Amino acid sequence: MAQIAGSGELESLTPERVWQEWHKSLSTQSPHIFLDVLRKCGALAVVIPEIDKLFGVPQPEKWHPEIDTGVHTLMVAQQAALLSDSLPVRFAAQLHDLGKGITPEKEWPSHKMHCHTGLKLIKKLCERIRVPNEFKELSLFVCEQHSNIHRAAELKPATKLKVLNHFDVWRKPERLEDILLCCMADSRGRTGFEDIEYPQKAIFEQAYQAALSVNVQEVIKDGHQGKAIRDEMEKRRVAAIAAL
C-alpha cells in the first residue's frame, strides 16, 4: 500500500472511487481504522489531504490531553460510530475540526477561528469528491456550531433559539439529534473523556421542546398579523426557553 501511495498511482483515482471507498468505510464497525491505515501508508495525504493536515497540529492540553488534532479526529470518528449508525453523522464527525489544519502556527495551540475556516475546506472537499448534499450540509452545521453547542449552559435563551433557527429544526427536526450526536462524539473523543456525560445534548433538546410548545394559532388568535406573527413567535419561544 505504501509503495502504491508513493508511486503517484492514487492521483489518478476518480472522485467517485474515493467517495465510494470512504462511504463504504463509514458503514463499518470502526471507521477510524480506514483513516488511520490510509495515514500510515501515506495515502491520506493524497486522497483526503484536509484530514491528513490535522496530524501534528497541537491543541491546548487542558482540553485535549491527546494534544494532536489528527489523533483527536480518529478518536471522534470512533466515538461517532459507537453513538450512531447514521453515515452522515459519522462523516460529519470526521470533518468537524478541519479548520484547525490551516491555523497559522504562530497561533498554536489555539484555534479560535476554526469553526469558520473549516467551512470553506468542507465545501471544497465535498465538491472535489462529489459528496452527497445530505453529508455536506450536516458537516457544515456541525463545523460551524459545535463550539456553541459545547457552551450550551452559558448561552442566552435568544442565542439558543438563534442556533435552532439556523438548523431549521422546525422543518427538519431530525437534524438536531444528528448534530448533537456529532458534538457528543467530539466531547468524548479525547483521552480520558471517553465516557464523559454530555449534558449539553439535553439542554438543547429541552430548549427545542420548549420553543416547539409555542402555538402559532394562539399568536394569531391574539391579534398578530403578517410579519408580527413571526416576531411574536420568536419572542414567545425565547421566553419559553428562558422559563427552563
Side-chain angles (χ1 to χ4, degrees), residues 126-211:
C126 291
E127 182 178 343
R128 185 178 74 247
I129 61 173
R130 300 171 190 175
V131 175
N133 281 335
E134 179 187 6
F135 290 76
K136 181 181 75 172
E137 288 178 2
L138 183 61
S139 299
L140 291 171
F141 282 127
V142 173
C143 175
E144 183 181 25
Q145 296 295 331
H146 67 273
S147 289
N148 272 335
I149 301 293
H150 291 333
R151 294 171 46 245
E154 307 167 27
L155 299 182
K156 295 178 180 179
T159 305
K160 290 176 186 173
L161 181 61
K162 185 177 179 180
V163 172
L164 291 172
N165 285 339
H166 182 60
F167 295 158
D168 194 15
V169 294
W170 321 116
R171 290 193 305 132
K172 299 183 177 181
E174 70 286 349
R175 180 180 283 164
L176 180 61
E177 176 73 3
D178 289 346
I179 293 169
L180 293 176
L181 285 174
C182 287
C183 294
M184 189 173 180
D186 180 28
S187 180
R188 291 184 173 181
R190 300 176 291 158
T191 300
F193 292 87
E194 292 85 354
D195 298 313
I196 194 173
E197 294 294 324
Y198 193 67
Q200 295 92 327
K201 186 172 184 290
I203 290 174
F204 259 94
E205 288 171 341
Q206 290 166 8
Y208 166 65
Q209 290 299 329

Side-chain angles (χ1 to χ4, degrees), residues 54-71:
L54 298 177
F55 289 87
V57 175
Q59 303 171 102
E61 187 175 2
K62 177 182 178 182
W63 307 113
H64 290 276
E66 72 284 350
I67 301 178
D68 191 290
T69 306
V71 173

Side-chain angles (χ1 to χ4, degrees), residues 20-38:
Q20 180 184 24
E21 297 300 333
W22 194 355
H23 183 270
K24 193 187 302 180
S25 78
L26 295 171
S27 65
T28 67
Q29 187 175 354
S30 304
H32 67 286
I33 293 177
F34 172 77
L35 299 177
D36 191 32
V37 171
L38 288 183

